[in-house]
Amino acid sequence: MFGRTQPVSRGLMALRACRVFSARQGRKEMSPLSSLSGHRGARPSQAGVWVGHHQHFKSRMLTRASKDNGTDVLEKSSEAQQLDGTIRRIVKEEESTTDNGIGKPSTDKPKFDAKRFLQASRIQGVVAATRAVADVFLRRVKGENAKQRAGWSIGFEVIVEAMRAYLPKVLDRSLIQLYEHGDAHTREQITLALEEMTRTIEVASAAIPPVKGVNKVPARVGGMTGMWLLPPTYRPQDNPRLPPDSAGGEKVDKSQGCVLYFHGGAYLTACAGSHTRLTSGLARAAERPVLAVNYRLAPRNKFEDILADAVEAYEHLLACGYLAKNIIIGGDSAGGHLALSLCAHLATLKSESMPGGVVAFSPWIDLHISMTAEKDSWELQKEIDYLGFALGSSPAPIIYGDGENRLFDNLLELPASVLEQFPPVLIQVGSNEVLFTEIQLFKSRLGHGCKLEVYEGMVHVFQMFDSLEPKAELAVSEAGIFIQNRRQMTQEYV
């Protein structure tokens, strides 16, 4: 919370920053969010321009303050309130009429165009995120923060609210319905849109540096690209940038083990690079090299192909000389599901090469998003967690296609004979995230072989924001301790 001595001035500074951010959409230059989406020099939307002016007038609203029992009270004049309503009406009208690439309502089957969808969704996403950030600062200035956000730092709240507004625009839920019921042309266009989205994320994330002391080195595993994250304690032959699987890597001490990491992204987008901060932080905390791979994504590839990539990456590490018991499998969200699915696959085969453990950050357990009762976290936390927009739009049809073989689509349905072969598992979850209920149920099915850490007030994969939220840094540190102590693990967990 801002100090009482400077609530208005700090709020004004923040809102003016948001105004500049919005106004940049009207010039041929990239804003921070548009660079992530790969959008450059697109025609500005009226909403983007209006929101820029909106922030200016909102800042003027805050120039009057009065005292009420010693507490700052911010007032809006009637003129400001009228202007506020007018601007929001114009923005709403433009958003509702913008052609998002899906086509205007008609009796004909909707036609999806990847290029137009990406252009429109990026603009709308930036407008929505900018408005959400401005609202965060207004709430902070007025002292109206919700109880669920009470412990959040302002930086963490800004990024969560921006994502909560931005993601529904670029991952429109109608994509799922169109793909499931669309013809070959529509499905191909949706595939192209998702692939282009992933390419722009890859380009943008190449500039993300690892945490201090960790070296990021390119990797290739079969047909997959990826990266090694090498911690400060990694010093083979006095060359800290020599990957364990490179020429000369046979001289690297493999006895300390390593981590194989699968990134999240609903199996539809993102990449190893987009999770550099998380994987490099894990490498430093665990004092182990981390191999993060770019597995194939849906809908061009189905889950069986994705699982095959996970198996290939694991076998690659075994071929490099790592013992199975010294390999930890990690992942977040969909990547957490993939890590657990890899273990289920090995258990089904009764493999003797089961990894030494699993670290899963907010793992996706039920790909059908079927736990939507009023008492379930999908319903309870949908207005707090940035993943709440996915309620009612399971991407399972895109991930599995039209086939009937939906392998590991709901890990709660795994038989006990498979689960009892799992290695020790650490799962971390936020109490305010939509996956909380299904993760709790999965933990109960694993029993004493699983340690569940619940972080109060946190949302989906909060560990990615370690520079903004102390609990995220603590969680990554705890995961590192779990990995370091894997040889001393017993079957008894709290």
Side-chain angles (χ1 to χ4, degrees):
M1 186 67 67
F2 290 133
R4 287 186 55 194
T5 59
Q6 297 177 315
V8 176
S9 61
R10 290 191 180 183
L12 288 173
M13 291 174 62
L15 291 173
R16 286 170 185 149
C18 291
R19 177 194 173 201
V20 172
F21 184 87
S22 295
R24 287 179 66 183
Q25 306 311 308
R27 301 198 298 268
K28 290 188 176 181
E29 60 179 278
M30 294 202 315
S31 70
L33 283 179
S34 63
S35 65
L36 179 62
S37 64
H39 178 69
R40 182 187 292 272
R43 180 179 178 273
S45 67
Q46 289 182 346
V49 176
W50 274 107
V51 170
H53 292 298
H54 190 199
Q55 309 314 322
H56 170 65
F57 286 106
K58 271 193 173 182
S59 66
R60 292 178 60 184
M61 297 175 195
L62 303 179
T63 57
R64 297 201 307 162
S66 63
K67 294 288 184 177
D68 181 14
N69 296 326
T71 303
D72 291 333
V73 179
L74 302 175
E75 299 179 344
K76 289 184 180 180
S77 66
S78 59
E79 177 186 2
Q81 291 177 340
Q82 184 178 3
L83 177 64
D84 183 83
T86 301
I87 297 301
R88 289 188 179 276
R89 177 177 56 78
I90 293 172
V91 171
K92 184 176 181 180
E93 288 176 356
E94 197 229 21
E95 288 180 342
S96 65
T97 57
T98 300
D99 185 357
N100 64 357
I102 297 177
K104 298 182 182 301
S106 68
T107 57
D108 299 330
K109 180 180 289 188
K111 296 297 182 182
F112 183 93
D113 181 82
K115 184 177 180 180
R116 286 191 293 121
F117 172 78
L118 288 171
Q119 290 176 342
S121 63
R122 287 164 181 167
I123 294 174
Q124 292 181 16
V126 171
V127 170
T130 304
R131 189 164 56 198
V133 170
D135 288 343
V136 168
F137 287 109
L138 283 173
R139 286 200 305 266
R140 288 271 176 162
V141 170
K142 296 177 183 179
E144 296 178 350
N145 232 19
K147 180 176 66 175
Q148 296 94 327
R149 308 184 188 95
W152 294 5
S153 68
I154 188 168
F156 184 67
E157 184 177 357
V158 163
I159 193 67
V160 170
E161 290 300 301
M163 291 176 66
R164 203 166 73 85
Y166 184 79
L167 289 177
K169 302 296 183 181
V170 296
L171 290 175
D172 194 303
R173 67 173 57 191
S174 59
L175 285 176
I176 309 298
Q177 299 170 345
L178 279 176
Y179 188 91
E180 186 175 8
H181 304 291
D183 56 19
H185 170 78
T186 299
R187 291 189 169 193
E188 179 62 20
Q189 286 295 306
I190 292 174
T191 300
L192 291 174
L194 291 169
E195 289 176 342
E196 177 61 23
M197 198 180 300
T198 300
R199 278 192 292 269
T200 55
I201 291 175
E202 288 177 344
V203 172
S205 61
I208 299 176
V211 300
K212 185 177 180 180
V214 175
N215 284 307
K216 180 174 69 173
V217 181
R220 178 168 289 278
V221 178
M224 293 176 282
T225 58
M227 63 179 68
W228 279 100
L229 290 309
L230 307 176
T233 55
Y234 181 81
R235 289 289 183 273
Q237 301 175 320
D238 296 324
N239 180 2
R241 297 183 61 84
L242 178 67
D245 59 352
S246 65
E250 67 278 356
K251 298 181 181 179
V252 175
D253 180 14
K254 307 290 197 313
S255 63
Q256 294 301 308
C258 68
V259 178
L260 173 60
Y261 195 90
F262 303 122
H263 67 82
Y267 289 126
L268 302 177
T269 187
C271 60
S274 61
H275 290 59
T276 297
R277 293 288 302 181
L278 176 53
T279 51
S280 60
L282 185 61
R284 184 173 65 182
E287 299 181 353
R288 305 288 188 277
V290 174
L291 174 62
V293 295
N294 290 313
Y295 53 84
R296 287 174 287 180
L297 298 173
R300 184 73 69 191
N301 308 281
K302 303 310 175 189
F303 182 75
E304 288 185 355
D305 304 314
I306 298 171
L307 182 60
D309 284 350
V311 172
E312 182 178 9
Y314 183 59
E315 291 179 344
H316 173 79
L317 292 176
L318 293 174
C320 289
Y322 284 105
L323 297 178
K325 66 179 182 180
N326 293 336
I327 301 174
I328 302 296
I329 310 297
D332 64 274
S333 194
H337 175 270
L338 185 55
L340 295 168
S341 296
L342 174 59
C343 291
H345 172 73
L346 295 173
T348 302
L349 298 178
K350 299 188 182 302
S351 172
E352 297 181 358
S353 299
M354 191 66 72
V358 175
V359 172
F361 303 124
S362 303
W364 194 10
I365 303 300
D366 174 14
L367 302 192
H368 296 286
I369 310 182
S370 58
M371 305 188 68
T372 58
E374 290 186 4
K375 62 181 177 60
D376 293 331
S377 53
W378 268 106
E379 186 65 33
L380 294 174
Q381 308 299 343
K382 64 182 180 182
E383 299 299 330
I384 299 296
D385 193 356
Y386 63 84
L387 200 62
F389 77 94
L391 180 63
S393 56
S394 165
I398 293 184
I399 298 170
Y400 288 95
D402 298 324
E404 296 182 0
N405 184 15
R406 301 206 163 185
L407 190 65
F408 308 136
D409 58 342
N410 188 348
L411 298 180
L412 293 174
E413 298 176 353
L414 289 175
S417 60
V418 170
L419 293 174
E420 65 187 13
Q421 298 181 60
F422 268 50
V425 176
L426 170 66
I427 297 179
Q428 293 181 348
V429 62
S431 65
N432 284 351
E433 72 168 283
V434 291
L435 299 182
F436 186 67
T437 300
E438 59 196 70
I439 288 174
Q440 277 190 314
L441 290 174
F442 185 70
K443 191 275 178 194
S444 65
R445 292 222 56 207
L446 278 178
H448 293 298
C450 177
K451 179 180 181 181
L452 178 63
E453 294 180 350
V454 180
Y455 289 81
E456 188 65 30
M458 294 293 98
V459 295
H460 187 62
V461 197
F462 64 94
Q463 296 88 344
M464 289 188 67
F465 312 115
D466 63 320
S467 60
L468 301 173
E469 175 53 54
K471 288 182 181 179
E473 187 174 4
L474 173 63
V476 174
S477 176
E478 289 296 320
I481 293 173
F482 175 88
I483 294 171
Q484 289 187 42
N485 294 339
R486 69 191 185 281
R487 288 182 179 176
Q488 288 76 39
M489 293 176 188
T490 68
Q491 294 303 308
E492 297 296 326
Y493 287 87
V494 178

